[in-house]
Amino acid sequence: MKKLLTILSILLVILIAPATVSANEGNEGGKINPKEIIFDHLGDHYGWEVPFMHSVRIPLPVIVKDKEGSWHIFSSSRLMHDAEYEGFAIAKDGQYAKKIVQISTQPDGTKTEYRPLDLSITKNVMALIISALVVMLCAFSVLRWYKKHNMKAPHKATAMLEVVVEFVYYGVIRPTLGAKAHRFAPYLLTVFFFILVMNLLGLIVIFPGGANLTGNIAVTMVLAVCTFIVTNLFGTKHYWKDIFWPDVPLWLKFPIPIMPVIEIFGMFTKPAALMVRLFANMMGGHMIVITLTLLIFIFAAFGVAVTGISTVLSVAFSLFMLLLDTLVSFIQAYVFTMLSTLFISLAQEEGHHEEKTEKLETK
Amino acid sequence: MELFTPDFGLIFWMFVVFALLLFLLGKFAWPVIVKSLEERADFIDKGVEYAQNAKEQLDNAKSEAAKYIQEAQKQQAEILRDAAKMKTQLIEEAKDAASKEAKKVMDAAKLSIEQSRKEAELQFRNEVSNFALNIAEKVMRQNMKSESAQSELVNKLIDEVEANN
């Protein structure tokens, strides 16, 4: 019970921590701008905020290629507080708001902004690397156990990881892919654990976490594209035949190829659905938690009593939402993996005729 | 909206990080983990099967042992019965043999008794005939002292012979 109380109080502190930061952020004009705060938290940054210290950010490397084609690498701390360095600055507003732009002064005195090729290690990229390291740590800890103890079942944390691996492998990959499970298991397990770790790290509000990674469409897009590539690269003849010459009445595919067009369209909608599902779920969860926390500061204008009540309610709801998001993190990682497995297995289908002959041969 | 426009830098790094992760884990971690999981599952399955088999065999052995014991008991009973039968047979045979022997002895005794009786009879007859002859001789000597008696007898005998012829 005592432990539970400690955990709860820590959770409360964690929940309130970003709220104080955001309150400072939006409060500049004396008024809160919830939309700005929310999108600021969901977006990317060149530094990583530290709890309770709004002006301090953990500097991250900036890598940009300027208009002339030469690379510039420097610490993001040089661009903090609207500073300009080597002609680069973070745009405040306009088309490239909050991104690094190259500022060049024209002869007539006006300043033009040029968006350079930006490969900076931003907060999201850093979180990405941390997530990857965490996944590797997990996988290799299980591996080390096997190297050391051979056939024995792992204990403690390793056992938990192994249970998850087993859950995904025996729950999803093996039943769906059957004999081809070995071939695709590495990809699918990597995807599952990477998404899961990114989701869970995103829920932690302070340093190693806090980045809205899987709620960023670039990340989910890459994952969906990878599934697309794996699905189509290893697709069987039968799969391709089903796309371009499906078993439908002739008039549906010739002279106007209605079915092939639909099938080709389906090839792209499948990963697109994967991309949007993960993105929307995770972003939505983050957004709700932030909004609930922000409610405290919005209601602060109405006096102490209202603030008190809204604080209790907001914290309770935020806690509930965070717990729900923990569940959603797992479910979304699972769903992404499951659907990827399904798409891959659909592309692995052999023709029925071939199957029959195979069976006859074995008989 | 910034959220819906993917940033190139992030896409690039995501690809790099994900590819690296996939390569490292796909080459070194997952195959080994999956193989170990499967091997262990196999091992456990086999263990369970083995245990079941062993139990079955044990049960079989038990029932077999019971069967053997029953059979042995049956055999024992049979042997005992045979022994009893053999005993009575032996006794019977012995009795038979004894009675036969006794009969033989009896027969021999009877025979010797008969023989001795016959011998005695014969001896007795001889003695009686001797005795009778002696008596007859003595009687004859007495009667035949006179001449007339002798001729009378001769005549009488000749008469008898003549009467017979």
Side-chain angles (χ1 to χ4, degrees):
Chain A
M1 198 61 208
K2 245 185 182 175
K3 257 187 185 171
L4 193 71
L5 274 177
T6 340
I7 291 167
L8 274 178
S9 47
I10 288 170
L11 267 174
L12 280 183
V13 169
I14 289 169
L15 272 173
I16 294 165
T20 49
V21 178
S22 48
N24 291 340
E25 261 171 48
N27 236 350
E28 275 152 20
K31 248 194 151 187
I32 298 172
N33 184 352
K35 196 185 154 201
E36 195 184 304
I37 295 168
I38 290 169
F39 282 106
D40 187 55
H41 271 266
L42 292 177
D44 206 353
H45 300 279
Y46 287 100
W48 205 318
E49 51 292 65
V50 180
F52 306 114
M53 287 179 282
H54 182 53
S55 53
V56 181
R57 304 238 160 165
I58 299 167
L60 298 167
V62 170
I63 305 163
V64 284
K65 187 183 174 194
D66 66 12
K67 217 191 281 184
E68 286 78 37
S70 58
W71 291 92
H72 295 262
I73 300 171
F74 50 89
S75 163
S76 71
S77 63
R78 295 190 190 278
L79 297 177
M80 288 296 126
H81 311 298
D82 304 330
E84 204 182 305
Y85 183 76
E86 291 181 359
F88 296 100
I90 297 173
K92 275 186 192 155
D93 40 27
Q95 199 188 345
Y96 306 122
K98 289 176 186 169
K99 303 258 186 235
I100 285 182
V101 287
Q102 192 176 12
I103 296 169
S104 46
T105 317
Q106 300 294 323
D108 58 346
T110 54
K111 285 184 177 177
T112 53
E113 289 177 344
Y114 166 76
R115 175 93 173 103
L117 180 63
D118 187 357
L119 293 182
S120 306
I121 307 291
T122 59
K123 180 184 164 189
N124 278 349
V125 176
M126 200 62 216
L128 211 60
I129 294 166
I130 292 171
S131 303
L133 288 178
V134 170
V135 173
M136 288 217 318
L137 194 75
C138 292
F140 282 106
S141 75
V142 177
L143 196 67
R144 211 178 50 232
W145 176 276
Y146 286 138
K147 290 253 163 80
K148 256 188 193 168
H149 302 269
N150 200 14
M151 286 285 260
K152 266 193 206 163
H155 297 293
K156 293 175 187 171
T158 326
M160 200 178 75
L161 289 169
E162 203 209 46
V163 166
V164 181
V165 177
E166 210 173 328
F167 171 71
V168 176
Y169 185 68
Y170 282 106
V172 182
I173 303 171
R174 248 317 254 282
T176 319
L177 283 169
K180 282 168 180 166
H182 277 279
R183 201 165 169 201
F184 298 102
Y187 171 73
L188 293 163
L189 283 168
T190 309
V191 164
F192 178 82
F193 275 90
F194 199 29
I195 293 175
L196 183 65
V197 168
M198 283 196 292
N199 285 348
L200 290 176
L201 275 182
L203 293 180
I204 301 170
V205 200
I206 48 169
F207 168 61
N212 176 32
L213 259 186
T214 36
N216 189 307
I217 203 152
V219 172
T220 58
M221 193 175 83
V222 171
L223 290 169
V225 166
C226 285
T227 294
F228 177 80
I229 292 170
V230 171
T231 306
N232 291 298
L233 209 62
F234 296 101
T236 53
K237 250 188 221 163
H238 184 257
Y239 165 74
W240 289 108
K241 191 214 147 234
D242 254 5
I243 286 174
F244 292 110
W245 200 253
D247 289 328
V248 288
L250 192 67
W251 59 271
L252 276 173
K253 48 192 177 183
F254 185 80
I256 315 160
I258 303 169
M259 281 314 285
V261 166
I262 291 172
E263 290 280 354
I264 289 167
F265 192 66
M267 265 169 68
F268 292 96
T269 51
K270 280 180 205 162
L274 278 184
M275 171 178 86
V276 174
R277 182 179 295 112
L278 182 58
F279 161 70
N281 270 288
M282 293 322 291
M283 196 202 61
H286 281 245
M287 206 182 247
I288 291 168
V289 173
I290 296 168
T291 313
L292 283 170
T293 317
L294 268 180
L295 279 180
I296 300 167
F297 302 97
I298 293 167
F299 280 114
F302 298 104
V304 182
V306 181
T307 317
I309 295 165
S310 68
T311 306
V312 172
L313 281 179
S314 292
V315 168
F317 275 116
S318 299
L319 184 61
F320 172 71
M321 273 313 295
L322 274 175
L323 289 175
L324 197 68
D325 271 352
T326 315
L327 185 67
V328 168
S329 297
F330 190 83
I331 291 172
Q332 285 308 317
Y334 178 73
V335 165
F336 194 101
T337 314
M338 195 187 69
L339 289 177
S340 294
T341 317
L342 198 69
F343 295 155
I344 291 170
S345 81
L346 285 178
Q348 292 300 312
E349 223 168 55
E350 300 290 342
H352 299 294
H353 307 292
E354 285 170 47
E355 258 174 43
K356 266 180 196 165
T357 50
E358 264 173 38
K359 270 180 194 167
L360 281 177
E361 271 166 24
T362 49
K363 271 176 190 174
Chain B
M1 275 250 272
E2 187 207 334
L3 274 176
F4 297 101
T5 48
D7 189 53
F8 175 75
L10 189 55
I11 292 178
F12 170 79
W13 284 114
M14 177 68 191
F15 247 121
V16 171
V17 170
F18 186 67
L20 267 176
L21 187 69
L22 184 59
F23 171 76
L24 285 175
L25 294 185
K27 195 159 172 76
F28 302 111
W30 299 131
V32 182
I33 291 173
V34 165
K35 213 182 96 200
S36 301
L37 276 178
E38 282 184 338
E39 268 174 11
R40 198 165 66 218
D42 257 20
F43 182 71
I44 290 168
D45 281 354
K46 268 182 200 154
V48 169
E49 205 177 312
Y50 180 79
Q52 272 174 346
N53 279 350
K55 198 180 165 279
E56 217 166 274
Q57 274 175 353
L58 193 69
D59 287 351
N60 280 354
K62 267 183 193 162
S63 63
E64 220 157 285
K67 214 169 76 189
Y68 278 131
I69 287 171
Q70 211 175 359
E71 215 163 282
Q73 276 171 344
K74 217 164 94 187
Q75 261 173 359
Q76 185 195 27
E78 216 162 281
I79 288 170
L80 281 177
R81 211 165 51 228
D82 278 0
K85 212 161 130 193
M86 208 183 269
K87 189 178 82 180
T88 50
Q89 204 181 339
L90 270 177
I91 290 169
E92 207 79 1
E93 266 173 21
K95 266 185 188 165
D96 271 8
S99 65
K100 246 183 221 168
E101 196 71 16
K103 205 183 165 199
K104 223 191 217 171
V105 172
M106 289 270 274
D107 283 353
K110 259 184 199 166
L111 209 69
S112 68
I113 286 169
E114 189 79 9
Q115 208 159 359
S116 35
R117 191 178 58 91
K118 268 180 188 164
E119 264 172 33
E121 228 170 32
L122 202 67
Q123 211 176 346
F124 186 61
R125 217 158 70 188
N126 285 345
E127 268 176 33
V128 166
S129 60
N130 275 343
F131 206 48
L133 280 178
N134 281 343
I135 290 172
E137 206 185 272
K138 269 173 188 170
V139 169
M140 286 286 268
R141 265 182 200 154
Q142 201 72 27
N143 289 348
M144 294 296 142
K145 271 179 180 172
S146 61
E147 281 283 318
S148 57
Q150 282 176 7
S151 54
E152 195 184 337
L153 186 62
V154 171
N155 285 336
K156 204 184 162 187
L157 284 172
I158 288 164
D159 283 348
E160 264 172 31
V161 171
E162 272 174 358
N164 277 349
N165 287 335

